[in-house]
Amino acid sequence: MKRDARLRRRCAVPFGLLALATAPLHGQAAAAAARLHPAAIEAYIRYLSDDALEGRGTGTRGGQVAAAFIAAQFRRMGLEPAGDSGTYLQAVALLGRTPSPRVSVDGAELRYPQDYVVAPVTDDTVTRVAGEMIFAGYGIISPARGWDDYKGADVRGKIVVVLPGDPDSTTFDRLTGRPWVAVREKADVAARRGAAALLVVQSEDRGGVPWQAVQAFTHERISLAAPTQHVAFWGWLSDSAAAALAAQGGQDLERLRTAATRRDFRPTPLGARLEAEIRTAVRRIPTGNVVAKLPGRGPHAAEAIVVGAHYDHLGIGEPVNGDSIYNGAEDNASGTAAMLAAAEAIAGGRARPARTIVFTAFAAEELGLQGSEWLVRHPPAGLRLVGAFAMDVLNLYGRTRDIGTVGVKQSSLGALIRKAAAAEGMTTNEDPDDLRRGRFFRSDNYAFAREGIPAMRLVNGVDFVGRPADWGRQQRERYWNERYHRPNDELAPWMSMDGIAQQARVLVRAALAAADTRSPPAWAPTSDFRSPDPGAR
Ligand SMILES: [Zn+2]
C-alpha cells in the first residue's frame, strides 16, 4: 500500500502534460490486477486442453475450434477486432514445401542429400538460381560487437557460403544475443545485401547442427510465404563437399576457416559458379492468429504493445501409454489463458493508456514461431508494433515469491516487469538454466526481437511459497523430462491457479505501464537487437 501511495504522489508532480496524462493509470493498474480471476484462467485452460480440442494442431479442426473460442472471448470482453476485414482472425500464409533439388558447381553435379540440403524460401514450384560463390566467414554483421564479415563486399546475386554459429563465445552472447546458430539470422543478413542464396558449411564437430538434423530438410518444411526481401533458398553444404569445391577454385577451406575467426577477415570469392534448380511441392496449411485491440488515446495511439501467447500445440500424434492427444495444458493453454484473463481484466476497467494494446493468440508457434512472425510482418491496420510480452508455459504449481523472466536485461520492458512484480510483492529472476536452454529464442518473443521490436518472455519463478528451496527447479525438470511435448501435458488435480494468476497480474500491470510510458520501449544499449543492420539495402 505504501508503495502505491508513493508512486501516486510522485506522478502528481507536474512533469508536463504527458506525465499528467499517465497519472490516473497507477490506480487503474492495481484495480485491473485485482479484477483478475483465477477461476477464469482455470476455465480457459480446461477448455483449451480438453481432449475435444484434439491438441490444437495447426491446420486441424481442433486448432480452428480453439481460435473460434478465443475470438468469442475477445468479443465478449468488448475488445475491438484487429484481424482481417473487421474480424478477430488474421489468416497466416503458411506453406509446406518439399524440395527436389539439383545443384551443380562449375558444371559438376553435387550429390543430394550427401553433399547438401536446401530449404527453398520462394513460393514457387520451380526455383532457379545461378551465381558466383563467395565465402563470407561466419556471415555475421553485429555493430554492437564490432563485427562485420561482409566489409561492404558486393554479394548481389551471389551464393554466400558461411560457417555455422559464431567465432567465439566471449565476443558473442549465446544466451540472449542474436542466435547466430540459427541459419535464418545469417540468411536474413545475406538477403538484406541482395544475395541469391546462403549455404552453411555443415561441420558437426565445429559447432554445426548434426548432419542427421540437417537431413530433416529433405522432407517437408513448414514456414511462411516468402517475405519481400529474401534469398531464393538457404541450406547446408557438407564439410567435405565445401572443402572440395574450395580446392577446385584454388582455395583452402582450413585457411579460410582460420581467417574467419579474425575481425579483419574479408569475404573471399571461391572461384566457382553454382547453379541450382529446385522443384518444390507446395502445400497451403490453413491457420491464423486471433487478434484484438484496446485502442490507445491521443497522439501515441498508433503505437502498439503486443500481449501474446501461442494457442497451437502438437495435435494428435504418436500414442504414449495409449494416449495420442497432445493436450498442451501447460504448453500453451496456460499462456493463452493468462493472455485472455489479462485482456479481460484490462478491458473490464476504465484504464485507457496512450498506446494501443494488441492481444494476440499466435498460431503455429510449435512449427517455428510462424504466427508471431506473421503479425510482425503484418501488424493490424494503422498500428506500429513497439513492444511485446509473450507467455509460453506458465506456472500451474502454486504461489511463488519470484517471477521468471527471459530477456529482462535486454530492454526497458525489464524495468517495467520488475516494477510490476514489486507491486505484487514479487521479485524477478532470470534463471541461467532458462537461458542455457535457449528460451529467449524458442518462443514468440524472439520473432519480435529479430525485427528490432523490444520483446521479452514471462516464465515460471522457482521460489515457491511453503516449499523447500529446490522444489521449483525440481518441478521444472519434471515438466521438461516427463510432460513437455507429450500427451500427458494435461491439467491435473494437484495443479493450482495461484501462480499463473500472479504472473497474469504482473502482466496486466506491465502491459498497462508499457502502453503508457512517455517513450516507447527501447533495447538496452548493450543489446544485439538494438542496432539496425547498417549495410542493409
Ligand atoms: Zn510453447
Side-chain angles (χ1 to χ4, degrees):
M1 288 308 282
K2 239 179 200 158
R3 183 178 297 276
D4 271 346
R6 215 170 45 226
L7 281 174
R8 222 169 284 133
R9 210 173 310 127
R10 198 182 300 156
C11 284
V13 177
F15 281 119
L17 284 176
L18 278 171
L20 282 178
T22 71
L25 261 191
H26 291 299
Q28 297 288 345
R35 256 193 310 275
L36 199 121
H37 297 299
I41 296 181
E42 179 173 3
Y44 295 139
I45 299 177
R46 200 168 283 286
Y47 180 84
L48 291 169
S49 66
D50 195 281
D51 275 359
L53 272 78
E54 298 178 338
R56 309 182 305 279
T58 295
T60 70
R61 182 190 155 282
Q64 263 176 31
V65 173
F69 171 78
I70 295 161
Q73 299 308 316
F74 282 153
R75 183 183 300 276
R76 176 180 62 79
M77 294 168 195
L79 290 165
E80 292 186 12
D84 301 334
S85 22
T87 72
Y88 293 95
L89 286 174
Q90 178 189 44
V92 170
L94 196 61
L95 304 177
R97 297 172 175 93
T98 312
S100 306
R102 293 187 72 162
V103 172
S104 58
V105 175
D106 289 339
E109 190 162 342
L110 301 184
R111 296 169 308 159
Y112 178 76
Q114 297 93 323
D115 293 337
Y116 71 97
V117 293
V118 291
V121 182
T122 69
D123 303 340
D124 309 325
T125 51
V126 184
T127 302
R128 286 192 188 89
V129 169
E132 297 300 321
M133 301 178 82
I134 183 164
F135 177 69
Y138 284 85
I140 295 175
I141 295 184
S142 171
R145 303 185 187 275
W147 197 277
D148 178 0
D149 282 327
Y150 283 76
K151 307 281 194 309
D154 183 3
V155 299
R156 281 174 298 176
K158 294 180 184 168
I159 288 83
V160 175
V161 178
V162 299
L163 299 173
D166 61 51
D168 74 88
S169 62
T170 42
T171 307
F172 294 92
D173 171 5
R174 291 173 182 170
L175 301 183
T176 56
R178 274 200 190 270
W180 294 110
V181 69
V183 177
R184 166 66 191 276
E185 288 279 358
K186 300 186 183 211
D188 284 356
V189 173
R192 286 194 288 265
R193 277 154 192 80
L198 177 108
L199 288 170
V200 180
V201 177
Q202 207 289 333
S203 32
E204 193 172 342
D205 49 336
R206 300 174 205 253
V209 287
W211 188 241
Q212 213 178 346
V214 166
Q215 293 294 303
F217 286 83
T218 57
H219 304 296
E220 181 182 65
R221 191 176 75 94
I222 293 171
S223 56
L224 295 178
T228 350
Q229 221 171 23
H230 61 89
V231 289
F233 69 84
W234 46 260
W236 280 273
L237 262 181
S238 76
D239 211 5
S240 52
L245 64 90
Q248 272 170 37
Q251 295 285 351
D252 176 32
L253 184 62
E254 276 315 301
R255 200 172 306 150
L256 291 174
R257 222 193 279 273
T258 308
T261 59
R262 296 199 309 262
R263 270 178 212 274
D264 62 0
F265 165 83
R266 289 187 167 275
T268 312
L270 288 174
R273 187 178 168 77
L274 179 142
E275 283 181 46
E277 183 184 286
I278 307 171
R279 294 189 175 271
T280 311
V282 181
R283 171 175 78 102
R284 235 188 148 73
I285 299 161
T287 189
N289 293 325
V290 195
V291 200
K293 67 179 178 186
L294 180 77
R297 51 172 176 77
H300 296 290
E303 297 172 0
I305 300 294
V306 176
V307 174
H310 77 87
Y311 72 92
D312 67 300
H313 193 55
L314 305 173
I316 294 175
E318 272 306 300
V320 178
N321 298 326
D323 185 359
S324 60
I325 299 176
Y326 289 64
N327 306 77
E330 290 179 70
D331 185 8
N332 187 30
S334 69
T336 307
M339 182 274 292
L340 284 171
E344 190 164 15
I346 291 173
R350 284 173 295 124
R352 289 297 174 266
R355 294 187 185 87
T356 295
I357 302 181
V358 169
F359 298 97
T360 309
F362 300 120
E365 186 271 356
E366 303 285 7
L367 299 174
L369 324 183
Q370 308 296 345
S372 46
E373 180 179 346
W374 189 258
L375 187 80
V376 169
R377 277 204 225 161
H378 303 276
L383 296 179
R384 190 163 63 84
L385 310 183
V386 298
F389 295 102
M391 274 69 56
D392 194 356
V393 183
L394 295 185
N395 171 17
L396 304 185
Y397 316 144
R399 281 184 74 81
T400 55
R401 295 181 191 88
D402 60 344
I403 183 162
T405 59
V406 183
V408 71
K409 298 183 188 88
Q410 293 278 315
S411 74
S412 60
L413 295 176
L416 301 180
I417 284 283
R418 272 192 213 104
K419 211 164 160 181
E424 291 293 326
M426 301 169 82
T427 58
T428 55
N429 91 54
E430 186 172 57
D431 200 273
D433 243 26
D434 276 328
L435 299 180
R436 269 194 295 276
R437 287 184 198 270
R439 291 184 82 185
F440 187 71
F441 315 113
R442 286 180 153 200
S443 194
D444 296 303
N445 57 300
Y446 171 52
F448 294 87
R450 191 163 54 200
E451 296 303 322
I453 301 165
M456 61 175 292
R457 175 174 170 193
L458 294 187
V459 294
N460 294 354
V462 288
D463 185 6
F464 281 77
V465 175
R467 302 284 190 179
D470 56 347
W471 191 84
R473 280 200 180 77
Q474 276 170 20
Q475 288 309 307
R476 184 156 60 189
E477 287 311 304
R478 287 189 63 175
Y479 172 69
W480 285 110
N481 299 328
E482 296 169 19
R483 299 192 301 278
Y484 172 72
H485 283 194
R486 289 183 170 87
N488 63 345
D489 178 353
E490 292 169 321
L491 203 51
W494 64 269
M495 289 176 174
S496 153
M497 296 300 134
D498 293 349
I500 189 173
Q502 287 179 300
Q503 288 168 308
R505 283 188 208 105
V506 170
L507 175 66
V508 162
R509 289 176 180 270
L512 284 172
D516 216 53
T517 50
R518 267 181 284 182
S519 341
W523 292 107
T526 51
S527 173
D528 273 353
F529 298 101
R530 178 175 191 251
S531 326
D533 185 346
R537 301 178 332 123

